[in-house]
Each structure stands twice: as C-alpha cells, then as structure tokens.
C-alpha cells in the first residue's frame, strides 16, 4: 500500500489561475516543507525498515521510477526556486528543516508573498496566510500523515504560515470536502 498527501490546486493558489507560475510556486513552498518532514515521521511510525518514502509517483521497482544514482535524480522538492540543491550530505534533520524553510521562503516570494526578516507577512490576492489539511486518521492522531503534518504545521508557523489540521473520525469528511 501507499499513502499520499495531496494539495488541492483549486484552494491553494494565487489569484484565479491554478496553473500560473505564482500558484505553482506557492504549492512548491508548501511541498518543500512537507517533503522535509516525511522520512522522520514515517520512520517513527513504521520503524526504520517498515516503510519507505517514495520520491517519485511510481513504485521503486518500476522501470519508470528514477533510482538514486541515476543521472538527474534528486529527492522530491529538494531544489530551491533557482534550481539549486537545498541540502548537502551529512545535514542533521534540524539543518534540513532550516534549509527547507529558507527555500520555502524563496518560493513564497516568487509566488508574490511579502517576506520580511524570514517571515511571510502578507499574501498576494487569492492566496492566504493560513491553510487547512484533512487527515482521515480516525480522529486520534494515530496516522503517519498526522505526524508529518504536525511537523509541517510547526515549521510553517515559524515562517508566518498557519496550518490547521483536521484529524477526522469520519473519512467521508475528506471525500465530501474534495
């Protein structure tokens, strides 16, 4: 099986154009923070060998899935707004989070947000400083995505973005919202 965290382009956008560069940069800012929290949360939930984080949208054994060591391979959302790597080998998780925050701020600025002193202080028209996420995890916080998203919420709060997490007991709440 697999888990998936999606961003709804209809609700996470700048202006009215979900395909604009600004809208895509907003979603890349959020995805950069999501990505940095995946592996530690998954390992804490499943153990070091119980699950693996996929960097590309296909199974690792597929011929279509790039593999570490392949030319051009890099972890998902590990490049900044200018296409430069965010991380260097040997970084601690705290250093990775700091690097991801800096990269996310670059994407927020490119999306038209106002950033002052490493904090997002204003959103462009059609965007917000707060977003919500729904986890169909039974309402108990016992879901691997919940662990990822609490880390995301805490990191985003440090740079001026509020993330509300709704851990619903009824999975239909998610499907109705979609």
């Amino acid at each position: 099986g697999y888990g998936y965290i999606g961003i709804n382009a209809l609700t996470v956008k700048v202006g009215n154009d979900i395909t604009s560069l600004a809208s895509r940069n907003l979603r890349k800012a959020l995805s950069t923070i999501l990505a940095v929290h995946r592996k530690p949360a998954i390992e804490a939930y499943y153990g070091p060998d119980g699950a693996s984080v996929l960097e590309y949208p296909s199974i690792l054994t597929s011929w279509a899935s790039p593999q570490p060591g392949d030319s051009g391979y890099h972890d998902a959302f590990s490049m900044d707004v200018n296409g430069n790597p965010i991380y260097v080998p040997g970084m601690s998780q705290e250093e990775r989070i700091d690097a991801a925050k800096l990269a996310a701020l670059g994407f927020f600025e490119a999306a038209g947000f106002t950033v002052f002193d490493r904090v997002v202080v204003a959103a462009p028209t059609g965007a917000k400083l707060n977003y919500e996420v729904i986890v169909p995890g039974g309402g108990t916080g016992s879901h691997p995505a919940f662990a990822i998203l609490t880390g995301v919420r805490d990191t985003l709060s440090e740079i001026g973005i509020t993330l509300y997490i709704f851990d619903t007991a009824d999975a239909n709440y998610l499907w109705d919202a979609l």
Side-chain angles (χ1 to χ4, degrees):
Y2 69 95
Y4 176 80
I5 297 174
I7 297 176
N8 187 338
L10 295 175
T11 59
V12 182
K13 64 185 185 316
V14 175
N16 293 318
D17 183 358
I18 64 172
T19 64
S20 71
L21 182 58
S23 290
R24 291 183 312 218
N25 280 326
L26 166 57
R27 293 188 294 271
K28 285 180 182 179
L30 298 172
S31 295
T32 298
I33 302 300
L34 275 164
V36 76
H37 286 285
R38 293 174 309 153
K39 187 174 180 180
I42 295 302
E43 286 181 353
Y45 189 87
Y46 291 106
D49 299 320
S52 52
V53 173
L54 298 178
E55 302 297 341
Y56 292 89
S58 62
I59 60 173
L60 292 176
T61 56
S62 168
W63 65 269
S65 183
Q67 301 293 316
D70 287 353
S71 177
Y73 177 91
H74 56 82
D75 290 349
F77 302 101
S78 64
M79 307 298 261
D80 69 14
V81 70
N82 298 313
N84 298 312
I86 297 170
Y87 311 114
V88 296
M91 286 179 130
S92 68
Q93 179 62 9
E94 292 77 22
E95 292 169 326
R96 289 174 60 82
I97 291 169
D98 287 342
K101 285 191 292 190
L102 210 55
L105 288 169
F107 283 115
F108 279 119
E109 281 186 310
F113 286 74
T114 303
V115 176
F116 178 75
D117 200 22
R118 294 189 178 189
V119 175
V120 177
V121 295
T125 302
K128 304 180 282 190
L129 293 178
N130 57 73
Y131 292 93
E132 65 182 46
V133 63
I134 302 167
V135 179
T140 63
S142 181
H143 189 279
F146 187 81
I148 295 168
L149 294 167
T150 55
V152 171
R153 178 198 60 206
D154 296 347
T155 299
L156 287 173
S157 73
E158 294 172 10
I159 61 172
I161 302 293
T162 302
L163 182 68
Y164 300 106
I165 303 170
F166 296 104
D167 182 9
T168 179
D170 180 3
N172 288 319
Y173 181 80
L174 170 68
W175 307 124
D176 291 344
L178 288 174

CSV table of all heavy atoms in Angstrom, one decimal, residues 35-66:
chain,number,residue,atom,x,y,z
A,35,ALA,N,7.9,17.8,2.3
A,35,ALA,CA,8.9,16.8,2.0
A,35,ALA,C,10.0,16.6,3.1
A,35,ALA,O,10.4,15.5,3.3
A,35,ALA,CB,9.6,17.2,0.7
A,36,VAL,N,10.4,17.7,3.7
A,36,VAL,CA,11.5,17.5,4.7
A,36,VAL,C,11.0,16.8,5.9
A,36,VAL,O,11.8,16.2,6.7
A,36,VAL,CB,12.1,18.9,5.1
A,36,VAL,CG1,11.2,19.7,6.0
A,36,VAL,CG2,13.5,18.8,5.7
A,37,HIS,N,9.7,16.7,6.2
A,37,HIS,CA,9.2,16.0,7.4
A,37,HIS,C,8.7,14.6,7.1
A,37,HIS,O,8.4,13.9,8.0
A,37,HIS,CB,8.0,16.8,7.9
A,37,HIS,CG,8.4,18.1,8.6
A,37,HIS,ND1,9.0,18.1,9.9
A,37,HIS,CD2,8.4,19.4,8.2
A,37,HIS,CE1,9.3,19.3,10.2
A,37,HIS,NE2,9.0,20.1,9.3
A,38,ARG,N,8.8,14.1,5.8
A,38,ARG,CA,8.3,12.8,5.5
A,38,ARG,C,9.1,11.7,6.2
A,38,ARG,O,8.5,10.9,6.9
A,38,ARG,CB,8.2,12.6,4.0
A,38,ARG,CG,7.2,13.5,3.3
A,38,ARG,CD,7.3,13.3,1.8
A,38,ARG,NE,8.7,13.5,1.4
A,38,ARG,CZ,9.2,13.0,0.3
A,38,ARG,NH1,8.4,12.3,-0.5
A,38,ARG,NH2,10.4,13.2,-0.1
A,39,LYS,N,10.3,11.6,5.9
A,39,LYS,CA,11.1,10.4,6.3
A,39,LYS,C,11.2,10.2,7.8
A,39,LYS,O,10.9,9.1,8.3
A,39,LYS,CB,12.5,10.5,5.7
A,39,LYS,CG,13.3,9.3,5.9
A,39,LYS,CD,14.7,9.3,5.2
A,39,LYS,CE,15.4,8.0,5.5
A,39,LYS,NZ,16.7,8.0,4.9
A,40,PRO,N,11.5,11.3,8.6
A,40,PRO,CA,11.5,11.1,10.0
A,40,PRO,C,10.1,10.6,10.6
A,40,PRO,O,10.1,9.8,11.5
A,40,PRO,CB,11.9,12.4,10.6
A,40,PRO,CG,12.5,13.2,9.5
A,40,PRO,CD,11.9,12.7,8.2
A,41,ALA,N,9.0,11.2,10.1
A,41,ALA,CA,7.7,10.8,10.6
A,41,ALA,C,7.4,9.4,10.2
A,41,ALA,O,6.8,8.6,11.0
A,41,ALA,CB,6.7,11.7,10.0
A,42,ILE,N,7.7,9.0,9.0
A,42,ILE,CA,7.4,7.6,8.5
A,42,ILE,C,8.3,6.6,9.3
A,42,ILE,O,7.8,5.6,9.7
A,42,ILE,CB,7.6,7.5,7.0
A,42,ILE,CG1,6.6,8.3,6.2
A,42,ILE,CG2,7.6,6.0,6.5
A,42,ILE,CD1,5.2,8.0,6.5
A,43,GLU,N,9.5,6.9,9.5
A,43,GLU,CA,10.4,6.0,10.3
A,43,GLU,C,9.9,5.9,11.7
A,43,GLU,O,10.0,4.8,12.3
A,43,GLU,CB,11.9,6.5,10.2
A,43,GLU,CG,12.5,6.2,8.9
A,43,GLU,CD,13.9,6.6,8.8
A,43,GLU,OE1,14.5,7.2,9.7
A,43,GLU,OE2,14.6,6.3,7.7
A,44,ALA,N,9.5,7.0,12.3
A,44,ALA,CA,9.0,7.0,13.7
A,44,ALA,C,7.7,6.1,13.8
A,44,ALA,O,7.5,5.4,14.8
A,44,ALA,CB,8.7,8.4,14.2
A,45,TYR,N,6.9,6.2,12.8
A,45,TYR,CA,5.6,5.5,12.8
A,45,TYR,C,5.8,4.0,12.5
A,45,TYR,O,5.2,3.1,13.2
A,45,TYR,CB,4.6,6.1,11.8
A,45,TYR,CG,3.2,5.6,11.8
A,45,TYR,CD1,2.3,6.2,12.7
A,45,TYR,CD2,2.8,4.5,11.1
A,45,TYR,CE1,1.0,5.7,12.8
A,45,TYR,CE2,1.5,4.1,11.1
A,45,TYR,CZ,0.6,4.7,12.0
A,45,TYR,OH,-0.7,4.2,12.1
A,46,TYR,N,6.5,3.7,11.4
A,46,TYR,CA,6.7,2.3,11.0
A,46,TYR,C,8.0,1.6,11.4
A,46,TYR,O,8.1,0.4,11.2
A,46,TYR,CB,6.6,2.2,9.5
A,46,TYR,CG,5.3,2.6,8.9
A,46,TYR,CD1,5.1,3.8,8.2
A,46,TYR,CD2,4.3,1.6,8.9
A,46,TYR,CE1,3.8,4.1,7.7
A,46,TYR,CE2,3.0,1.9,8.4
A,46,TYR,CZ,2.8,3.1,7.8
A,46,TYR,OH,1.6,3.4,7.2
A,47,GLY,N,8.9,2.4,11.9
A,47,GLY,CA,10.2,1.8,12.2
A,47,GLY,C,11.1,2.0,11.0
A,47,GLY,O,10.6,2.4,9.9
A,48,PRO,N,12.4,1.8,11.1
A,48,PRO,CA,13.4,2.2,10.1
A,48,PRO,C,13.2,1.3,8.8
A,48,PRO,O,13.6,1.7,7.7
A,48,PRO,CB,14.7,2.0,10.7
A,48,PRO,CG,14.5,1.1,11.9
A,48,PRO,CD,13.1,1.4,12.3
A,49,ASP,N,12.6,0.1,8.9
A,49,ASP,CA,12.5,-0.8,7.8
A,49,ASP,C,11.1,-1.1,7.4
A,49,ASP,O,10.8,-1.9,6.5
A,49,ASP,CB,13.3,-2.1,8.1
A,49,ASP,CG,14.7,-1.9,8.3
A,49,ASP,OD1,15.3,-1.0,7.6
A,49,ASP,OD2,15.3,-2.5,9.2
A,50,GLY,N,10.1,-0.5,8.1
A,50,GLY,CA,8.7,-0.9,7.9
A,50,GLY,C,8.1,-0.2,6.7
A,50,GLY,O,7.0,-0.7,6.2
A,51,ALA,N,8.6,0.9,6.2
A,51,ALA,CA,8.1,1.6,5.0
A,51,ALA,C,9.2,2.4,4.4
A,51,ALA,O,10.2,2.7,5.1
A,51,ALA,CB,6.9,2.5,5.5
A,52,SER,N,9.0,2.9,3.2
A,52,SER,CA,10.0,3.8,2.6
A,52,SER,C,9.2,4.9,1.9
A,52,SER,O,8.1,4.8,1.6
A,52,SER,CB,10.8,3.0,1.5
A,52,SER,OG,10.0,2.4,0.6
A,53,VAL,N,9.9,6.0,1.9
A,53,VAL,CA,9.4,7.3,1.3
A,53,VAL,C,9.7,7.2,-0.2
A,53,VAL,O,10.8,7.1,-0.6
A,53,VAL,CB,10.0,8.5,1.9
A,53,VAL,CG1,9.6,9.8,1.2
A,53,VAL,CG2,9.6,8.6,3.4
A,54,LEU,N,8.7,7.4,-1.0
A,54,LEU,CA,8.9,7.4,-2.5
A,54,LEU,C,9.1,8.9,-2.9
A,54,LEU,O,8.3,9.8,-2.5
A,54,LEU,CB,7.6,6.9,-3.2
A,54,LEU,CG,7.3,5.4,-2.9
A,54,LEU,CD1,6.1,5.0,-3.7
A,54,LEU,CD2,8.5,4.5,-3.3
A,55,GLU,N,10.1,9.1,-3.7
A,55,GLU,CA,10.4,10.5,-4.2
A,55,GLU,C,9.6,10.8,-5.5
A,55,GLU,O,9.5,11.9,-5.9
A,55,GLU,CB,11.9,10.6,-4.4
A,55,GLU,CG,12.7,10.4,-3.1
A,55,GLU,CD,12.4,11.4,-2.0
A,55,GLU,OE1,11.8,12.5,-2.2
A,55,GLU,OE2,12.7,11.0,-0.8
A,56,TYR,N,9.2,9.7,-6.2
A,56,TYR,CA,8.5,9.9,-7.5
A,56,TYR,C,7.2,9.1,-7.5
A,56,TYR,O,7.1,8.2,-6.7
A,56,TYR,CB,9.5,9.4,-8.6
A,56,TYR,CG,10.7,10.3,-8.8
A,56,TYR,CD1,11.8,10.1,-8.1
A,56,TYR,CD2,10.6,11.4,-9.6
A,56,TYR,CE1,12.9,10.9,-8.2
A,56,TYR,CE2,11.7,12.3,-9.8
A,56,TYR,CZ,12.9,12.0,-9.1
A,56,TYR,OH,13.9,12.9,-9.2
A,57,PRO,N,6.3,9.5,-8.3
A,57,PRO,CA,4.9,8.9,-8.2
A,57,PRO,C,4.8,7.6,-8.9
A,57,PRO,O,4.0,7.4,-9.8
A,57,PRO,CB,4.0,9.9,-8.9
A,57,PRO,CG,4.9,10.6,-9.8
A,57,PRO,CD,6.3,10.7,-9.2
A,58,SER,N,5.7,6.7,-8.6
A,58,SER,CA,5.6,5.3,-9.1
A,58,SER,C,6.4,4.4,-8.1
A,58,SER,O,7.2,4.9,-7.4
A,58,SER,CB,6.1,5.1,-10.5
A,58,SER,OG,7.5,5.4,-10.6
A,59,ILE,N,6.1,3.1,-8.1
A,59,ILE,CA,6.8,2.2,-7.2
A,59,ILE,C,8.3,2.1,-7.6
A,59,ILE,O,8.6,2.3,-8.7
A,59,ILE,CB,6.1,0.8,-7.2
A,59,ILE,CG1,6.1,0.2,-8.6
A,59,ILE,CG2,4.7,0.9,-6.7
A,59,ILE,CD1,5.7,-1.2,-8.6
A,60,LEU,N,9.1,1.9,-6.6
A,60,LEU,CA,10.5,1.8,-6.8
A,60,LEU,C,11.0,0.8,-7.8
A,60,LEU,O,12.0,0.9,-8.5
A,60,LEU,CB,11.2,1.6,-5.5
A,60,LEU,CG,11.1,2.8,-4.5
A,60,LEU,CD1,11.8,2.4,-3.2
A,60,LEU,CD2,11.8,4.0,-5.1
A,61,THR,N,10.2,-0.3,-7.9
A,61,THR,CA,10.6,-1.4,-8.8
A,61,THR,C,10.2,-1.2,-10.2
A,61,THR,O,10.6,-1.9,-11.1
A,61,THR,CB,10.0,-2.7,-8.3
A,61,THR,OG1,8.6,-2.6,-8.2
A,61,THR,CG2,10.6,-3.1,-6.9
A,62,SER,N,9.5,-0.1,-10.5
A,62,SER,CA,9.0,0.2,-11.8
A,62,SER,C,10.2,0.7,-12.7
A,62,SER,O,11.0,1.4,-12.2
A,62,SER,CB,7.9,1.2,-11.8
A,62,SER,OG,7.7,1.7,-13.1
A,63,TRP,N,10.2,0.3,-14.0
A,63,TRP,CA,11.2,0.8,-14.9
A,63,TRP,C,11.1,2.3,-15.0
A,63,TRP,O,12.1,3.0,-15.4
A,63,TRP,CB,11.1,0.1,-16.2
A,63,TRP,CG,9.7,0.5,-16.9
A,63,TRP,CD1,8.6,-0.2,-16.8
A,63,TRP,CD2,9.5,1.6,-17.7
A,63,TRP,NE1,7.6,0.4,-17.5
A,63,TRP,CE2,8.1,1.6,-18.1
A,63,TRP,CE3,10.2,2.7,-18.2
A,63,TRP,CZ2,7.5,2.5,-18.9
A,63,TRP,CZ3,9.6,3.6,-19.0
A,63,TRP,CH2,8.3,3.5,-19.3
A,64,ALA,N,9.9,2.9,-14.8
A,64,ALA,CA,9.7,4.3,-15.0
A,64,ALA,C,10.2,5.1,-13.8
A,64,ALA,O,10.2,6.4,-13.8
A,64,ALA,CB,8.2,4.6,-15.2
A,65,SER,N,10.5,4.5,-12.7
A,65,SER,CA,10.9,5.2,-11.4
A,65,SER,C,12.3,5.5,-11.4
A,65,SER,O,13.1,4.5,-11.4
A,65,SER,CB,10.5,4.4,-10.2
A,65,SER,OG,10.8,5.1,-9.0
A,66,PRO,N,12.7,6.8,-11.4
A,66,PRO,CA,14.2,7.1,-11.3
A,66,PRO,C,14.7,6.5,-10.0
A,66,PRO,O,14.0,6.4,-9.0
A,66,PRO,CB,14.2,8.6,-11.3
A,66,PRO,CG,12.9,9.0,-11.8
A,66,PRO,CD,11.9,8.0,-11.5
